[in-house]
């Protein structure tokens, strides 16, 4: 049976780093659609689209909204990939809306707050953004 790994964890826990390592082993990671602007010019991990283009997507099986920006993955993306980095709300949405053939496996990455902050600073998040993310994650992962 094929599986889709739903990889979740707080901001800065290493989800993207883990997914990059898994890609070197031949696994494919979903590049989610988002209305969020890029943090850096060469940022990977998402397909950055306008709100208008996002609203034209109709077959999502994972969806979440964070800081006013929308994120989603379509059923076709799930069927063609192995890993999806997603938050708890997206996982909940996924279990309600996915009717495909892959078996979902949820893996939560955990680390201490010091490492979360260090990793977010390493990717050049502002202190304001870091505090916002820590507060949001405290509620989301409660």
């Amino acid at each position: 049976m094929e599986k889709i790994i739903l990889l979740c964890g707080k901001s800065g826990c290493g989800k993207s780093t883990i997914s990059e390592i898994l890609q070197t082993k031949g696994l494919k990671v979903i590049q989610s659609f988002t209305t969020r602007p890029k943090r850096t010019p060469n940022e990977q991990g998402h397909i950055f689209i306008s709100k208008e283009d996002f609203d034209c997507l109709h077959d999502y099986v994972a969806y979440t909204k964070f800081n006013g920006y929308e994120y989603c993955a379509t059923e076709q993306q799930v069927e063609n990939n192995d890993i999806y980095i997603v938050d708890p709300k997206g996982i909940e949405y996924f279990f309600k809306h996915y009717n495909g053939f892959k078996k979902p496996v949820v893996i939560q990455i955990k680390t201490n707050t010091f490492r979360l902050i260090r990793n977010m600073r390493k990717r050049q998040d502002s202190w304001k953004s870091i505090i916002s993310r820590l507060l949001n994650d405290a509620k989301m992962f409660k």
Side-chain angles (χ1 to χ4, degrees), residues 13-76:
C13 73
K15 300 179 297 288
S16 295
T17 301
I18 291 167
S19 72
E20 289 169 10
I21 292 167
L22 293 172
Q23 284 180 78
T24 68
K25 307 295 182 190
L27 297 177
K28 296 182 286 181
V29 179
I30 292 173
Q31 305 294 302
S32 62
F33 291 98
T34 183
T35 60
R36 176 178 67 75
K38 291 183 177 185
R39 290 185 190 119
T40 62
N42 297 324
E43 182 179 356
Q44 302 289 314
H46 298 289
I47 300 168
F48 298 92
I49 60 175
S50 68
K51 171 70 172 137
E52 294 77 22
D53 288 341
F54 192 94
D55 290 341
C56 291
L57 299 171
H58 56 281
D59 65 338
Y60 14 107
V61 294
Y63 173 86
T64 194
K65 192 170 189 176
F66 178 72
N67 277 349
Y69 300 114
E70 295 178 278
Y71 299 79
C72 78
T74 65
E75 187 160 338
Q76 181 180 9

Side-chain angles (χ1 to χ4, degrees), residues 2 74-81 98-102:
E2 285 197 52
T74 65
E75 187 160 338
Q76 181 180 9
Q77 287 178 300
V78 172
E79 298 306 322
N80 294 328
N81 291 280
Y98 178 66
N99 295 311
F101 297 104
K102 289 193 173 184

Side-chain angles (χ1 to χ4, degrees), residues 8-11 15 63-67 69 71 86-92 108 132-142:
C8 76
K10 294 180 178 179
S11 298
K15 300 179 297 288
Y63 173 86
T64 194
K65 192 170 189 176
F66 178 72
N67 277 349
Y69 300 114
Y71 299 79
V86 63
D87 69 11
K89 288 180 185 175
I91 291 170
E92 183 179 331
Q108 182 177 356
S132 173
R133 287 176 170 278
L134 290 172
L135 292 172
N136 181 73
D137 286 349
K139 291 179 203 170
M140 189 177 302
F141 287 89
K142 193 173 186 178

